[in-house]
Amino acid sequence: MYLPPVNLLFEDSRPGRRCFRTTGADRTAATAGLPSSALRDTPPALPELGELDLLRHFTRLSQKNFGISVNFYPLGSCTMKYNPVVHEAIAAREEWSGLHPLQDEDTAQGALALMHDLARDLGELTGLPAVTLHPAAGAHGELTALMVLRAWLDQRGEHQRRKIMVPDSAHGTNPASCTLSGFSVVTVKSDDRGLCDLEDLAKHLGDDTAGLMITNPNTLGLFEDNIVEICKMVHDAGGKVYMDGANFNAIMGVARPGDFGIDMMHLNLHKTMSTPHGGGGPGSGPVCVTEELRTFLPAPQIVEEEGLYRLQTPEHSIGRMRAFHGNFLVLVRAYCYVRRLGAKGARRVAENAVLNANYLRVLVDKYWRVPYNRVCMHEFVARPTKAMRDAGIHTLDIAKRLIDCGYHPPTVYFPLVVHEAIMAEPTETESKETLDAFAETMIMIAEEAAAGDEKLHEAPVTMPVTRVDEARAVRDPQLCYRCGD
Ligand SMILES: *Cc1c(COP(=O)(O)O)cnc(C)c1O
């Protein structure tokens, strides 16, 4: 196996090596007008390399980046799908990227129109017509919506409603957002079908209920088929239902949350709508709510009057959630995506996301244990069989072995309701051939695992960094390169 050389920018430095040489005249020109106190006496401590070595350094660095543009990335719940490159080109255009957020409204009408129309389209897709595009990520959207809920409750004088029900399969951000916005979390159990347990929910509902936060499809990749009844129960108890819509690509264009009783939800534009993510780049988590909650949304909102777009503060607004208008260039990509797909295309996205997940599930289910083994939505959860566990192989070993096979591992050890979970989301943008090849690899690893193959404990062996001490990596992360360490 070929291993690319390790990058040692500082260690490979040789005094006096240069990519190019400046002349005394260059330096005079570059420093003209600077006060002498601003000039260095000693050169900066930078590595000294020839141009070819420098080029190789950065090219190799770029090759260590694993992303959807390199290989299959079936990370459950995260929707690592292909984001059309043409949208990157459009978002990078000077007309968008060169705008200043403090520009007069009448000089930024195109940008305001784009946001106005995107909000309208997201409202149409979700069946929740009042939309804010401000939140910078999914979790920020959760926080925004919960603050809206709180403002709504406070306006009605219902200060005692401070409990939010959260199913035990929820994404970790859900309980965190509840706590941050001053609510307390009540965990609702899953039933033996992997769905929200109605009896358990009924037990917790009462005069102190602010609402329910539910992910649908849930994090087991299952559609909560009692959702209409669940919403009715919460509404009858006087609360609102929030849907975590990070998994929207499974139902987009097929079902509208507003139609099945949801009051508020967020979307992850950086999962569903064409912005690459991972590694902490800019995201966007718009919140869509019912007409009733519109006046509580963050300020400003964009309104259209006689063909002109203006900014307006909603009557009971919770205020600003972010500077200016959110991550605008993410909104540009989402606008392109929604407009290019249209209603039919949006539906095809969802159908193919579900088809791909089920295809993969059926290919591997004889070799893996799939605890809720029925038609799933956009993802499914598997776990090692008893034979694999008896051979001493854990989910972590399997994930690391997949790295050696060229795949980003699926999400592991989540959701918590499945012991040793592996959660795979193939997304709609992968071809049948890619899914077949991945399934073959998963089956090969299942066979190695059942045989207790030692390779699995050692993997990954083909990477510049091999098996790390996971606990130490979390407790003692070293994120900066220090020369000489
Ligand atoms: C990704 C995700 C979130 C959080 O979104 P961020 O943009 O990472 O804050 C919340 N819920 C679910 C189900 C998710 O998959």
Side-chain angles (χ1 to χ4, degrees):
M1 173 68 63
Y2 167 74
L3 277 180
V6 182
N7 290 280
L8 295 171
L9 194 60
F10 283 87
E11 289 81 346
D12 290 344
S13 175
R14 294 291 176 274
R17 287 222 179 129
R18 289 289 180 275
C19 292
F20 68 93
R21 281 175 203 281
T22 51
T23 63
D26 292 333
R27 285 190 290 276
T28 310
T31 56
L34 288 177
S36 58
S37 61
L39 302 179
R40 300 179 158 278
D41 311 323
T42 49
L46 293 173
E48 298 172 77
L49 291 139
E51 186 165 323
L52 178 56
D53 290 328
L54 190 71
L55 175 72
R56 283 183 181 152
H57 170 77
F58 284 109
T59 305
R60 284 174 192 154
L61 260 192
S62 74
Q63 288 167 341
K64 290 197 176 126
N65 209 2
F66 190 98
I68 189 72
S69 50
V70 179
N71 218 335
F72 187 42
Y73 203 142
L75 192 64
S77 204
C78 291
T79 316
M80 303 302 284
K81 68 182 183 185
Y82 171 66
N83 300 292
V85 171
V86 66
H87 299 171
E88 298 302 312
I90 296 170
R93 285 180 68 113
E94 178 73 21
E95 290 89 336
W96 304 121
S97 60
L99 286 171
H100 193 283
L102 289 177
Q103 235 168 279
D104 277 349
E105 280 161 39
D106 46 333
T107 66
Q109 286 290 307
L112 295 179
L114 180 141
M115 290 189 278
H116 176 273
D117 290 357
L118 174 64
R120 181 202 57 206
D121 292 349
L122 299 181
E124 181 58 36
L125 279 168
T126 57
L128 293 163
V131 179
T132 171
L133 303 173
H134 293 203
H140 198 207
E142 294 171 23
L143 178 69
T144 303
L146 291 170
M147 288 175 69
V148 165
L149 173 60
R150 232 186 119 127
W152 176 77
L153 288 169
D154 286 350
Q155 201 212 31
R156 294 159 58 95
E158 299 200 274
H159 307 289
Q160 85 291 359
R161 293 192 181 270
R162 285 294 178 264
K163 285 195 179 153
I164 306 235
M165 320 286 132
V166 182
D168 57 8
S169 60
H171 196 266
T173 51
N174 292 188
S177 304
C178 289
T179 308
L180 252 185
S181 44
F183 290 108
S184 57
V185 178
V186 180
T187 305
V188 182
K189 283 191 220 133
S190 298
D191 64 15
D192 52 13
R193 296 174 63 225
L195 302 176
C196 175
D197 186 326
L198 266 56
E199 270 177 40
D200 196 47
L201 174 65
K203 263 191 242 158
H204 298 300
L205 292 171
D207 291 345
D208 54 0
T209 300
L212 165 76
M213 254 185 132
I214 190 163
T215 309
N216 197 20
N218 70 20
T219 58
L220 288 164
L222 303 173
F223 191 81
E224 294 282 351
D225 49 20
N226 289 319
I227 190 70
V228 173
E229 192 178 346
I230 291 172
C231 292
K232 184 168 183 310
M233 286 165 70
V234 177
H235 290 153
D236 287 350
K240 295 279 185 212
V241 184
Y242 179 83
M243 186 175 118
D244 179 332
N247 297 335
F248 195 56
N249 67 323
I251 59 170
M252 183 168 64
V254 179
R256 304 198 318 163
D259 296 344
F260 56 70
I262 301 299
D263 302 290
M264 317 181 273
M265 69 180 288
H266 81 259
L267 294 165
N268 275 58
L269 298 189
H270 49 293
K271 289 180 184 170
T272 311
M273 298 191 183
S274 186
T275 285
H277 67 112
S284 178
V287 169
C288 309
V289 302
T290 54
E291 231 13 282
E292 184 193 5
L293 298 170
R294 182 189 287 275
T295 59
F296 297 90
L297 287 178
Q301 283 276 297
I302 298 161
V303 292
E304 188 206 338
E305 274 164 10
E306 292 164 8
L308 275 184
Y309 298 89
R310 290 190 306 104
L311 303 181
Q312 195 182 59
T313 298
E315 192 183 350
H316 309 293
S317 178
I318 58 166
R320 276 195 176 274
M321 286 305 288
R322 202 176 184 287
F324 309 114
H325 300 283
N327 282 327
F328 175 65
L329 298 179
V330 177
L331 306 178
V332 174
R333 295 176 178 94
Y335 178 83
C336 297
Y337 187 71
V338 170
R339 293 270 112 197
R340 283 180 70 202
L341 284 177
K344 280 200 194 114
R347 188 183 176 98
R348 227 170 22 243
V349 164
E351 287 169 350
N352 285 331
V354 171
L355 178 64
N356 273 359
N358 280 288
Y359 181 68
L360 192 57
R361 176 180 61 83
V362 170
L363 284 182
V364 303
D365 78 355
K366 279 189 223 51
Y367 305 86
W368 292 84
R369 212 167 106 49
V370 180
Y372 302 97
N373 199 8
R374 57 176 194 273
V375 174
C376 64
M377 300 298 289
H378 60 302
E379 63 194 7
F380 67 95
V381 177
R383 51 182 297 219
T385 59
K386 184 166 182 308
M388 299 185 208
R389 281 176 286 132
D390 287 349
I393 302 298
H394 293 278
T395 291
L396 185 71
D397 303 313
I398 290 147
K400 300 293 185 194
R401 176 80 177 111
L402 275 167
I403 297 174
D404 275 341
C405 299
Y407 294 105
H408 193 289
T411 299
V412 292
Y413 298 100
F414 179 81
L416 304 177
V417 289
V418 173
H419 183 60
E420 297 261 335
I422 305 178
M423 179 199 213
E425 175 177 6
T427 82
E428 72 280 5
T429 58
E430 296 296 338
S431 67
K432 178 178 175 297
E433 290 71 23
T434 298
L435 301 184
D436 287 337
F438 180 71
E440 258 173 48
T441 305
M442 285 294 282
I443 292 166
M444 176 193 85
I445 296 176
E447 283 162 356
E448 290 172 355
D453 193 331
E454 277 305 311
K455 254 202 310 287
L456 274 78
H457 293 300
E458 282 146 30
V461 295
T462 58
M463 291 290 122
V465 176
T466 52
R467 182 83 62 118
V468 293
D469 177 339
E470 306 265 334
R472 225 186 112 209
V474 174
R475 292 206 189 108
D476 184 21
Q478 291 184 6
L479 304 176
C480 295
Y481 180 79
R482 288 190 207 90
C483 184
D485 273 10

